[in-house]
Structure formats: C-alpha cells, structure tokens
Amino acid sequence: MPRTDAVTRRTYGGRTAAVRRAERRERLMAAGLQLFGTEGYASASIEKLCTHAGVSTRNFYEEFHSREDLLIALHSKANEHSYRAVNAAFADAADAALAERFELAVRTFVSNMASDPRWARLAYVEMYGVSDKVEKHRLAWRKRWWDFMVAEADRAVLRGEAKPRDFTMPALAVIASVNELVYHYAVNRGRITLEEVITEVVRIAVAAVTAA
C-alpha cells in the first residue's frame, strides 16, 4: 500500500502536482502568445519566455521540447477553436443558402482569429519561415480549411447554386484572401471595420464558387 504522506507531498497549497503543472503550461502558453504576438518569434528566447511566465527552464522542457513546439501548440489552439466555432455555427444553418453560410463562417472565423492582434500576428506572420516542422504543421491546417471550403463548394453544386468543377484553385485563393484580410483587420482596427472585412471575403468566396 502506498504511504499517505506520499500523496501529501504531491500537493502544495491545496493544489495537486497535476494542477500546478497545468497552470505552468497555461502561463507558458500566455507568455508565448504575448511575446510571439508582439515582439516576434525570433526575439523570444526560452529564457525570456520562462521569465515572462514565471517558471523555470526545467518547467519549460517538461511541457515543450522547443520553442517550435510552443508555437505549434498556440497555432493549433487558435485554429481548433475557430474550426469548432464555425462548425457549431453551421449546425444552426443547415438549410441556409451559400452566401448566408459563407457570411456565417467568415464572421465566426474572423471574430475568433482577429479578436486579438497577437493571434493574427502569430498565425499569419510568425508561422512562416521558422522550420520544416512548423511549415508542415501550418500546411496541414491550411489543408484542413481547404477541404472545408471545397466541401462547401460541393454542397453548393448539389443545391444548384454552383456548377460542378474542380474547386481546388478557388479554395486556395479564398483561403489566401481570408488570411491576408484577417491580419490586415487585426492590425488596422479603427481604420477598417469587421463588417468591411466580412463583406469583402464573402464577395470573394461566393464569386470563386459560383463563377462559370
């Protein structure tokens, strides 16, 4: 039987080791968002991240193998949240027309990804040119959104809203437009509005799918 004092040693201030570790991970994630999203990935050393998070370098390596892994974790968090949000919004618009569904998707996506300029910079600036590992991760997410866009186009064909064709290039063009406009909006708040961005992206997306 394990000794009860072993259990006691695993708690501190009423918080278990697992809870404390989860808190440290969240502090590192917050530090990564702040430093990567303001000063840039190249300027944020592990020592600087740890100082900002109030943890030791040993704690860092308990959670992440490298700065790359922290960057990837943050990028995944942003995209997973946006992907779930868009799908949840679509659940209530199953019978909506193409333009309405695109507007709903774009509004949800932009509201999530551009809600904080740090997320936009991290996703659309700092993810580029880091390493093959980071690029592979970024392209995997681009493929996931690409498949999402193609599925919507194919749905429009079945509903008679578009003619059947290969939607590979249109989907890539829309994704590139969305990425650029989301970042543009995030860093130019006050000069452009969310509605302007949504209107432009929806116009591009609908035209890409319905063009003859």
Coordinates of all heavy atoms in Angstrom, one line a residue, residues 65-145:
H65 N 9.2 20.5 -26.1 CA 10.6 20.2 -26.4 C 11.4 21.4 -26.9 O 12.6 21.4 -26.8 CB 10.6 19.1 -27.5 CG 10.0 17.8 -27.1 ND1 10.6 17.0 -26.1 CD2 8.9 17.1 -27.5 CE1 9.9 15.9 -25.9 NE2 8.9 15.9 -26.8
S66 N 10.7 22.4 -27.4 CA 11.4 23.5 -28.0 C 10.4 24.7 -28.2 O 9.2 24.5 -27.9 CB 11.9 23.1 -29.4 OG 10.8 22.8 -30.3
R67 N 10.9 25.8 -28.6 CA 10.1 27.0 -28.8 C 9.1 26.6 -30.0 O 8.0 27.1 -30.0 CB 10.9 28.2 -29.2 CG 11.6 28.9 -28.1 CD 12.3 30.2 -28.5 NE 13.1 30.0 -29.7 CZ 13.2 30.9 -30.7 NH1 12.6 32.0 -30.6 NH2 14.0 30.6 -31.7
E68 N 9.6 25.9 -31.0 CA 8.8 25.5 -32.1 C 7.5 24.8 -31.6 O 6.4 25.0 -32.1 CB 9.5 24.5 -33.0 CG 10.6 25.2 -33.8 CD 11.4 24.2 -34.7 OE1 11.0 23.0 -34.6 OE2 12.3 24.6 -35.4
D69 N 7.7 23.9 -30.6 CA 6.5 23.1 -30.1 C 5.5 24.1 -29.4 O 4.3 23.9 -29.5 CB 7.0 22.1 -29.1 CG 7.6 20.9 -29.8 OD1 7.4 20.7 -31.0 OD2 8.3 20.1 -29.2
L70 N 6.0 25.1 -28.8 CA 5.1 26.1 -28.1 C 4.4 26.9 -29.2 O 3.2 27.1 -29.1 CB 5.9 27.0 -27.2 CG 5.1 28.2 -26.6 CD1 3.9 27.7 -25.8 CD2 6.1 29.0 -25.7
L71 N 5.1 27.3 -30.3 CA 4.5 28.0 -31.4 C 3.4 27.1 -32.0 O 2.3 27.6 -32.3 CB 5.5 28.4 -32.4 CG 5.1 29.2 -33.6 CD1 4.5 30.5 -33.2 CD2 6.2 29.3 -34.6
I72 N 3.7 25.9 -32.3 CA 2.7 25.0 -32.9 C 1.5 24.8 -32.0 O 0.4 24.7 -32.4 CB 3.4 23.6 -33.2 CG1 4.4 23.8 -34.4 CG2 2.4 22.5 -33.5 CD1 5.2 22.6 -34.6
A73 N 1.7 24.6 -30.7 CA 0.6 24.5 -29.7 C -0.3 25.7 -29.8 O -1.5 25.5 -29.7 CB 1.2 24.2 -28.3
L74 N 0.3 26.9 -29.8 CA -0.6 28.1 -29.9 C -1.3 28.1 -31.2 O -2.5 28.5 -31.2 CB 0.3 29.3 -29.7 CG 0.8 29.6 -28.3 CD1 2.0 30.5 -28.3 CD2 -0.3 30.1 -27.4
H75 N -0.7 27.8 -32.3 CA -1.4 27.9 -33.6 C -2.5 26.8 -33.6 O -3.6 27.1 -34.1 CB -0.3 27.6 -34.7 CG -0.9 27.7 -36.1 ND1 -1.2 26.6 -36.8 CD2 -1.1 28.8 -36.9 CE1 -1.7 27.0 -38.0 NE2 -1.6 28.3 -38.1
S76 N -2.2 25.7 -33.1 CA -3.3 24.6 -33.0 C -4.5 25.1 -32.2 O -5.6 24.9 -32.6 CB -2.7 23.3 -32.4 OG -1.9 22.7 -33.3
K77 N -4.2 25.7 -31.1 CA -5.2 26.2 -30.2 C -6.1 27.2 -30.9 O -7.4 27.1 -30.8 CB -4.6 26.9 -28.9 CG -5.7 27.4 -27.9 CD -5.0 28.0 -26.7 CE -6.0 28.5 -25.7 NZ -5.4 29.1 -24.5
A78 N -5.5 28.2 -31.6 CA -6.3 29.2 -32.3 C -7.2 28.5 -33.4 O -8.4 28.8 -33.6 CB -5.4 30.2 -32.9
N79 N -6.6 27.6 -34.2 CA -7.3 27.0 -35.3 C -8.4 26.0 -34.8 O -9.5 26.0 -35.4 CB -6.3 26.4 -36.3 CG -5.7 27.3 -37.2 OD1 -6.3 27.7 -38.3 ND2 -4.5 27.8 -36.9
E80 N -8.1 25.3 -33.8 CA -9.1 24.3 -33.3 C -10.3 25.1 -32.8 O -11.4 24.7 -33.0 CB -8.5 23.5 -32.2 CG -7.5 22.4 -32.6 CD -8.2 21.2 -33.3 OE1 -9.4 21.2 -33.4 OE2 -7.5 20.3 -33.8
H81 N -10.0 26.1 -32.1 CA -11.1 26.9 -31.5 C -12.0 27.5 -32.7 O -13.2 27.5 -32.6 CB -10.6 28.1 -30.6 CG -11.7 28.9 -30.0 ND1 -12.2 30.0 -30.5 CD2 -12.3 28.7 -28.8 CE1 -13.1 30.5 -29.7 NE2 -13.2 29.7 -28.6
S82 N -11.3 28.0 -33.7 CA -12.1 28.6 -34.8 C -12.8 27.6 -35.6 O -14.0 27.8 -36.0 CB -11.1 29.4 -35.7 OG -10.5 30.5 -35.1
Y83 N -12.2 26.4 -35.8 CA -12.8 25.3 -36.5 C -14.1 24.8 -35.8 O -15.1 24.6 -36.5 CB -11.8 24.2 -36.7 CG -12.2 23.2 -37.8 CD1 -11.9 23.4 -39.1 CD2 -12.8 22.0 -37.4 CE1 -12.3 22.5 -40.1 CE2 -13.1 21.0 -38.4 CZ -12.9 21.3 -39.7 OH -13.2 20.4 -40.7
R84 N -14.0 24.6 -34.5 CA -15.1 24.2 -33.8 C -16.2 25.2 -33.8 O -17.4 24.9 -33.9 CB -14.8 23.9 -32.3 CG -13.9 22.6 -32.2 CD -13.9 22.1 -30.7 NE -13.3 23.2 -29.8 CZ -12.0 23.3 -29.5 NH1 -11.2 22.4 -30.0 NH2 -11.6 24.2 -28.7
A85 N -15.9 26.5 -33.7 CA -16.8 27.6 -33.7 C -17.6 27.7 -35.0 O -18.8 27.8 -35.0 CB -16.2 28.9 -33.4
V86 N -16.9 27.5 -36.1 CA -17.5 27.6 -37.4 C -18.5 26.4 -37.6 O -19.6 26.6 -38.1 CB -16.5 27.6 -38.6 CG1 -17.1 27.4 -39.9 CG2 -15.7 28.9 -38.5
N87 N -18.0 25.2 -37.2 CA -18.9 24.0 -37.4 C -20.1 24.1 -36.5 O -21.2 23.7 -36.9 CB -18.1 22.8 -37.1 CG -17.3 22.3 -38.3 OD1 -17.9 21.7 -39.2 ND2 -16.0 22.6 -38.3
A88 N -20.0 24.7 -35.3 CA -21.1 24.9 -34.4 C -22.1 25.9 -35.0 O -23.3 25.7 -34.9 CB -20.6 25.4 -33.0
A89 N -21.6 26.9 -35.6 CA -22.4 27.9 -36.2 C -23.2 27.3 -37.4 O -24.4 27.6 -37.6 CB -21.6 29.1 -36.7
F90 N -22.5 26.4 -38.2 CA -23.2 25.8 -39.3 C -24.3 24.8 -38.9 O -25.2 24.6 -39.6 CB -22.2 25.0 -40.1 CG -21.5 25.8 -41.2 CD1 -21.7 27.2 -41.3 CD2 -20.7 25.3 -42.1 CE1 -21.1 28.0 -42.3 CE2 -20.1 26.0 -43.1 CZ -20.3 27.4 -43.2
A91 N -24.2 24.3 -37.7 CA -25.2 23.4 -37.2 C -26.6 24.0 -37.2 O -27.6 23.3 -37.3 CB -24.9 22.9 -35.8
D92 N -26.7 25.3 -37.0 CA -28.0 26.0 -37.0 C -28.3 26.6 -38.3 O -29.3 27.4 -38.4 CB -27.9 27.1 -35.9 CG -27.7 26.6 -34.5 OD1 -28.3 25.5 -34.2 OD2 -27.1 27.2 -33.7
A93 N -27.5 26.3 -39.4 CA -27.8 26.9 -40.7 C -27.7 25.9 -41.8 O -27.2 26.1 -42.9 CB -26.8 28.1 -40.9
A94 N -28.1 24.7 -41.5 CA -28.0 23.5 -42.4 C -28.7 23.8 -43.7 O -28.2 23.4 -44.8 CB -28.5 22.3 -41.8
D95 N -29.8 24.5 -43.7 CA -30.6 24.8 -45.0 C -30.3 26.2 -45.6 O -31.0 26.6 -46.5 CB -32.1 24.6 -44.7 CG -32.4 23.2 -44.2 OD1 -31.8 22.2 -44.8 OD2 -33.3 23.0 -43.4
A96 N -29.4 26.9 -45.0 CA -29.1 28.2 -45.5 C -28.5 28.2 -46.9 O -27.8 27.3 -47.3 CB -28.2 29.0 -44.5
A97 N -28.7 29.3 -47.6 CA -28.1 29.4 -48.9 C -26.6 29.7 -48.8 O -26.0 30.0 -47.7 CB -28.7 30.6 -49.7
L98 N -25.9 29.5 -49.9 CA -24.4 29.6 -50.0 C -23.9 30.9 -49.4 O -23.0 30.9 -48.5 CB -23.9 29.4 -51.4 CG -22.4 29.6 -51.6 CD1 -21.6 28.5 -50.9 CD2 -22.1 29.6 -53.1
A99 N -24.4 32.0 -49.8 CA -23.9 33.3 -49.4 C -24.1 33.5 -47.9 O -23.2 34.0 -47.2 CB -24.6 34.4 -50.1
E100 N -25.2 33.0 -47.4 CA -25.5 33.1 -45.9 C -24.6 32.2 -45.1 O -24.1 32.7 -44.1 CB -27.0 32.7 -45.7 CG -27.4 32.9 -44.2 CD -28.8 32.4 -44.0 OE1 -29.6 32.3 -45.0 OE2 -29.2 32.2 -42.8
R101 N -24.3 31.0 -45.6 CA -23.4 30.1 -44.9 C -22.0 30.7 -44.9 O -21.2 30.6 -43.9 CB -23.4 28.7 -45.5 CG -24.7 28.0 -45.1 CD -24.8 26.7 -45.8 NE -23.7 25.7 -45.5 CZ -23.7 24.8 -44.5 NH1 -24.8 24.8 -43.7 NH2 -22.7 24.0 -44.4
F102 N -21.6 31.2 -46.1 CA -20.2 31.8 -46.1 C -20.1 33.0 -45.2 O -19.1 33.2 -44.5 CB -19.9 32.3 -47.6 CG -19.3 31.2 -48.4 CD1 -19.4 31.3 -49.8 CD2 -18.6 30.1 -47.9 CE1 -18.8 30.3 -50.6 CE2 -18.1 29.1 -48.6 CZ -18.1 29.2 -50.0
E103 N -21.1 33.9 -45.1 CA -21.1 35.0 -44.2 C -21.0 34.5 -42.8 O -20.2 35.1 -42.0 CB -22.3 35.9 -44.4 CG -22.3 37.1 -43.5 CD -23.5 38.0 -43.7 OE1 -24.2 37.9 -44.7 OE2 -23.6 39.0 -42.9
L104 N -21.8 33.5 -42.5 CA -21.7 33.0 -41.1 C -20.3 32.4 -40.8 O -19.8 32.7 -39.7 CB -22.8 31.9 -41.0 CG -23.0 31.2 -39.6 CD1 -23.4 32.3 -38.6 CD2 -24.0 30.1 -39.7
A105 N -19.8 31.7 -41.7 CA -18.5 31.1 -41.5 C -17.4 32.2 -41.3 O -16.5 32.1 -40.4 CB -18.1 30.1 -42.6
V106 N -17.4 33.1 -42.3 CA -16.4 34.2 -42.2 C -16.5 35.0 -41.0 O -15.5 35.4 -40.3 CB -16.5 35.1 -43.5 CG1 -15.6 36.3 -43.4 CG2 -16.2 34.3 -44.7
R107 N -17.7 35.4 -40.6 CA -17.9 36.2 -39.4 C -17.4 35.5 -38.2 O -16.7 36.1 -37.3 CB -19.4 36.5 -39.2 CG -19.7 37.4 -38.0 CD -21.2 37.8 -37.9 NE -21.7 38.4 -39.1 CZ -21.6 39.7 -39.3 NH1 -20.9 40.5 -38.4 NH2 -22.0 40.3 -40.4
T108 N -17.7 34.2 -38.1 CA -17.2 33.4 -36.9 C -15.7 33.3 -36.9 O -15.1 33.5 -35.9 CB -17.9 32.0 -37.0 OG1 -19.3 32.1 -37.0 CG2 -17.5 31.2 -35.8
F109 N -15.2 33.0 -38.1 CA -13.7 32.8 -38.2 C -13.0 34.1 -37.9 O -12.0 34.1 -37.1 CB -13.3 32.3 -39.6 CG -11.9 32.1 -39.8 CD1 -11.3 30.9 -39.4 CD2 -11.1 33.0 -40.4 CE1 -9.9 30.6 -39.5 CE2 -9.7 32.8 -40.5 CZ -9.1 31.6 -40.1
V110 N -13.4 35.2 -38.6 CA -12.7 36.4 -38.4 C -12.8 36.9 -36.9 O -11.9 37.4 -36.3 CB -13.2 37.5 -39.3 CG1 -12.5 38.9 -39.1 CG2 -12.9 37.1 -40.8
S111 N -14.0 36.8 -36.3 CA -14.2 37.2 -35.0 C -13.3 36.4 -34.0 O -12.8 37.0 -33.0 CB -15.7 37.0 -34.6 OG -16.5 37.8 -35.3
N112 N -13.0 35.2 -34.3 CA -12.1 34.4 -33.5 C -10.6 34.7 -33.7 O -9.9 35.0 -32.8 CB -12.3 32.9 -33.7 CG -13.5 32.3 -32.9 OD1 -13.3 32.0 -31.8 ND2 -14.7 32.3 -33.5
M113 N -10.2 34.7 -35.0 CA -8.8 34.8 -35.3 C -8.3 36.3 -35.2 O -7.1 36.5 -35.0 CB -8.5 34.3 -36.7 CG -8.7 32.8 -36.8 SD -7.7 31.8 -35.7 CE -6.1 32.0 -36.5
A114 N -9.2 37.2 -35.3 CA -8.8 38.6 -35.2 C -9.2 39.3 -34.0 O -9.1 40.5 -33.9 CB -9.3 39.4 -36.5
S115 N -9.8 38.5 -33.0 CA -10.2 39.1 -31.8 C -9.1 39.8 -31.0 O -9.3 40.7 -30.2 CB -10.9 38.1 -30.9 OG -10.0 37.0 -30.6
D116 N -7.9 39.3 -31.2 CA -6.7 39.8 -30.6 C -5.6 39.8 -31.6 O -5.3 38.8 -32.2 CB -6.3 38.8 -29.4 CG -5.1 39.3 -28.6 OD1 -4.3 40.0 -29.1 OD2 -5.1 39.0 -27.4
P117 N -5.0 41.0 -31.8 CA -4.0 41.2 -32.9 C -2.8 40.2 -32.7 O -2.1 39.9 -33.6 CB -3.5 42.6 -32.7 CG -4.7 43.3 -32.1 CD -5.3 42.3 -31.2
R118 N -2.6 39.8 -31.4 CA -1.5 38.8 -31.2 C -1.7 37.5 -31.9 O -0.8 36.9 -32.4 CB -1.3 38.7 -29.7 CG -0.9 39.9 -29.0 CD -0.8 39.7 -27.5 NE -2.1 39.3 -26.9 CZ -2.3 38.9 -25.7 NH1 -1.3 38.9 -24.8 NH2 -3.5 38.5 -25.3
W119 N -3.0 37.0 -31.8 CA -3.3 35.8 -32.5 C -3.1 35.9 -34.0 O -2.6 35.0 -34.7 CB -4.7 35.4 -32.2 CG -5.0 34.8 -30.9 CD1 -5.8 35.2 -29.9 CD2 -4.4 33.5 -30.4 NE1 -5.8 34.4 -28.8 CE2 -4.9 33.4 -29.0 CE3 -3.5 32.6 -30.9 CZ2 -4.6 32.3 -28.3 CZ3 -3.2 31.5 -30.1 CH2 -3.7 31.4 -28.8
A120 N -3.5 37.0 -34.6 CA -3.4 37.2 -36.0 C -1.9 37.3 -36.4 O -1.5 36.7 -37.4 CB -4.1 38.5 -36.4
R121 N -1.1 38.0 -35.7 CA 0.3 38.0 -36.0 C 1.0 36.6 -35.9 O 1.7 36.2 -36.7 CB 1.1 39.0 -35.1 CG 2.6 39.0 -35.3 CD 3.3 40.1 -34.6 NE 4.7 40.0 -34.8 CZ 5.6 40.8 -34.3 NH1 5.2 41.9 -33.7 NH2 6.9 40.6 -34.5
L122 N 0.6 35.9 -34.8 CA 1.2 34.6 -34.6 C 0.8 33.7 -35.8 O 1.7 33.0 -36.3 CB 0.7 34.0 -33.3 CG 1.3 32.7 -32.9 CD1 1.4 32.6 -31.4 CD2 0.4 31.5 -33.4
A123 N -0.5 33.7 -36.2 CA -0.9 32.8 -37.2 C -0.5 33.1 -38.6 O -0.2 32.3 -39.4 CB -2.5 32.7 -37.2
Y124 N -0.4 34.5 -38.9 CA -0.2 34.9 -40.3 C 1.1 35.6 -40.6 O 1.4 36.0 -41.7 CB -1.4 35.8 -40.7 CG -2.7 35.1 -40.5 CD1 -3.7 35.7 -39.8 CD2 -3.0 33.9 -41.1 CE1 -4.9 35.0 -39.6 CE2 -4.2 33.2 -40.9 CZ -5.1 33.8 -40.1 OH -6.3 33.2 -40.0
V125 N 1.9 35.7 -39.5 CA 3.3 36.2 -39.7 C 4.3 35.3 -39.1 O 5.2 34.9 -39.8 CB 3.4 37.6 -39.1 CG1 4.8 38.2 -39.2 CG2 2.4 38.6 -39.7
E126 N 4.2 35.0 -37.9 CA 5.3 34.3 -37.2 C 5.4 32.8 -37.5 O 6.4 32.2 -37.3 CB 5.1 34.4 -35.6 CG 5.1 35.9 -35.2 CD 6.4 36.6 -35.6 OE1 7.5 36.0 -35.6 OE2 6.3 37.8 -35.8
M127 N 4.3 32.3 -38.1 CA 4.3 30.8 -38.5 C 5.2 30.6 -39.8 O 5.5 29.4 -40.1 CB 2.9 30.3 -38.8 CG 2.1 30.2 -37.5 SD 2.7 28.9 -36.4 CE 2.5 27.4 -37.3
Y128 N 5.6 31.6 -40.5 CA 6.2 31.5 -41.8 C 7.8 31.5 -41.6 O 8.3 32.3 -40.9 CB 5.8 32.6 -42.7 CG 4.4 32.5 -43.2 CD1 3.4 32.9 -42.4 CD2 4.1 31.9 -44.4 CE1 2.0 32.8 -42.9 CE2 2.8 31.7 -44.9 CZ 1.8 32.2 -44.1 OH 0.5 32.1 -44.5
G129 N 8.4 30.5 -42.3 CA 9.9 30.5 -42.3 C 10.6 30.1 -41.0 O 11.8 30.4 -40.9
V130 N 9.9 29.5 -40.1 CA 10.5 29.0 -38.9 C 11.4 27.8 -39.1 O 12.6 27.7 -38.8 CB 9.5 28.8 -37.8 CG1 10.1 28.3 -36.5 CG2 8.8 30.1 -37.5
S131 N 10.7 26.7 -39.6 CA 11.4 25.4 -39.8 C 10.5 24.5 -40.6 O 9.3 24.8 -40.8 CB 11.7 24.8 -38.4 OG 10.4 24.4 -37.8
D132 N 11.0 23.4 -41.1 CA 10.2 22.5 -41.8 C 9.1 21.9 -41.0 O 8.0 21.7 -41.5 CB 11.1 21.3 -42.3 CG 12.1 21.8 -43.4 OD1 11.9 22.8 -44.0 OD2 13.1 21.0 -43.7
K133 N 9.4 21.7 -39.7 CA 8.4 21.1 -38.8 C 7.2 22.1 -38.7 O 6.0 21.7 -38.7 CB 9.0 20.9 -37.4 CG 8.0 20.3 -36.4 CD 8.8 20.1 -35.1 CE 7.8 19.5 -34.0 NZ 8.5 19.2 -32.7
V134 N 7.5 23.4 -38.5 CA 6.4 24.4 -38.3 C 5.6 24.5 -39.6 O 4.4 24.6 -39.7 CB 7.0 25.7 -37.8 CG1 5.9 26.8 -37.9 CG2 7.5 25.6 -36.4
E135 N 6.4 24.5 -40.7 CA 5.7 24.6 -42.0 C 4.8 23.5 -42.3 O 3.7 23.6 -42.9 CB 6.8 24.8 -43.1 CG 6.2 25.0 -44.5 CD 5.5 26.3 -44.7 OE1 5.4 27.1 -43.7 OE2 5.0 26.5 -45.8
K136 N 5.3 22.3 -42.0 CA 4.4 21.1 -42.2 C 3.1 21.2 -41.4 O 2.0 20.9 -41.9 CB 5.2 19.8 -41.7 CG 4.4 18.5 -41.9 CD 5.3 17.3 -41.5 CE 4.5 16.0 -41.7 NZ 5.3 14.9 -41.4
H137 N 3.2 21.7 -40.2 CA 2.0 21.9 -39.3 C 1.1 22.9 -39.9 O -0.1 22.8 -40.0 CB 2.5 22.3 -37.9 CG 1.3 22.8 -37.1 ND1 0.5 22.0 -36.4 CD2 0.9 24.1 -36.8 CE1 -0.4 22.7 -35.7 NE2 -0.2 24.0 -36.0
R138 N 1.7 24.1 -40.4 CA 0.9 25.1 -41.0 C 0.2 24.7 -42.2 O -1.0 24.9 -42.4 CB 1.8 26.3 -41.3 CG 1.0 27.6 -41.8 CD 2.0 28.6 -42.3 NE 2.6 28.3 -43.5 CZ 2.0 28.4 -44.7 NH1 0.8 28.9 -44.8 NH2 2.7 28.1 -45.8
L139 N 0.8 23.9 -43.0 CA 0.2 23.4 -44.3 C -0.9 22.4 -44.0 O -1.8 22.3 -44.7 CB 1.3 22.8 -45.2 CG 2.3 23.8 -45.8 CD1 3.3 23.1 -46.6 CD2 1.5 24.8 -46.7
A140 N -0.7 21.6 -42.9 CA -1.7 20.7 -42.5 C -3.0 21.4 -42.2 O -4.1 20.9 -42.5 CB -1.2 19.8 -41.3
W141 N -2.9 22.5 -41.5 CA -4.1 23.3 -41.1 C -4.6 24.0 -42.4 O -5.9 24.1 -42.5 CB -3.8 24.3 -40.0 CG -4.2 23.8 -38.7 CD1 -3.4 23.4 -37.7 CD2 -5.5 23.6 -38.2 NE1 -4.1 23.0 -36.6 CE2 -5.4 23.1 -36.9 CE3 -6.8 23.8 -38.8 CZ2 -6.6 22.8 -36.2 CZ3 -7.9 23.5 -38.1 CH2 -7.8 23.0 -36.8
R142 N -3.8 24.4 -43.2 CA -4.3 25.0 -44.5 C -5.1 24.0 -45.3 O -6.2 24.3 -45.8 CB -3.1 25.5 -45.3 CG -3.7 26.3 -46.6 CD -2.5 26.8 -47.5 NE -1.9 25.7 -48.2 CZ -1.1 25.8 -49.2 NH1 -0.6 27.0 -49.5 NH2 -0.6 24.8 -49.8
K143 N -4.6 22.7 -45.3 CA -5.3 21.7 -46.0 C -6.7 21.4 -45.3 O -7.7 21.1 -46.0 CB -4.5 20.4 -46.0 CG -5.1 19.1 -46.6 CD -5.4 19.3 -48.1 CE -5.7 18.0 -48.8 NZ -6.8 17.3 -48.2
R144 N -6.7 21.5 -44.0 CA -8.0 21.2 -43.3 C -9.0 22.3 -43.7 O -10.2 22.0 -44.0 CB -7.7 21.2 -41.8 CG -8.9 20.6 -41.0 CD -8.4 20.4 -39.6 NE -9.6 20.0 -38.7 CZ -9.4 19.8 -37.4 NH1 -8.3 19.9 -36.8 NH2 -10.5 19.4 -36.7
W145 N -8.6 23.6 -43.7 CA -9.5 24.6 -44.1 C -9.8 24.5 -45.6 O -11.0 24.8 -46.0 CB -8.9 26.0 -43.8 CG -8.9 26.3 -42.3 CD1 -7.9 26.4 -41.5 CD2 -10.1 26.6 -41.5 NE1 -8.3 26.7 -40.2 CE2 -9.7 26.8 -40.2 CE3 -11.5 26.6 -41.8 CZ2 -10.5 27.1 -39.2 CZ3 -12.3 26.9 -40.7 CH2 -11.9 27.2 -39.4

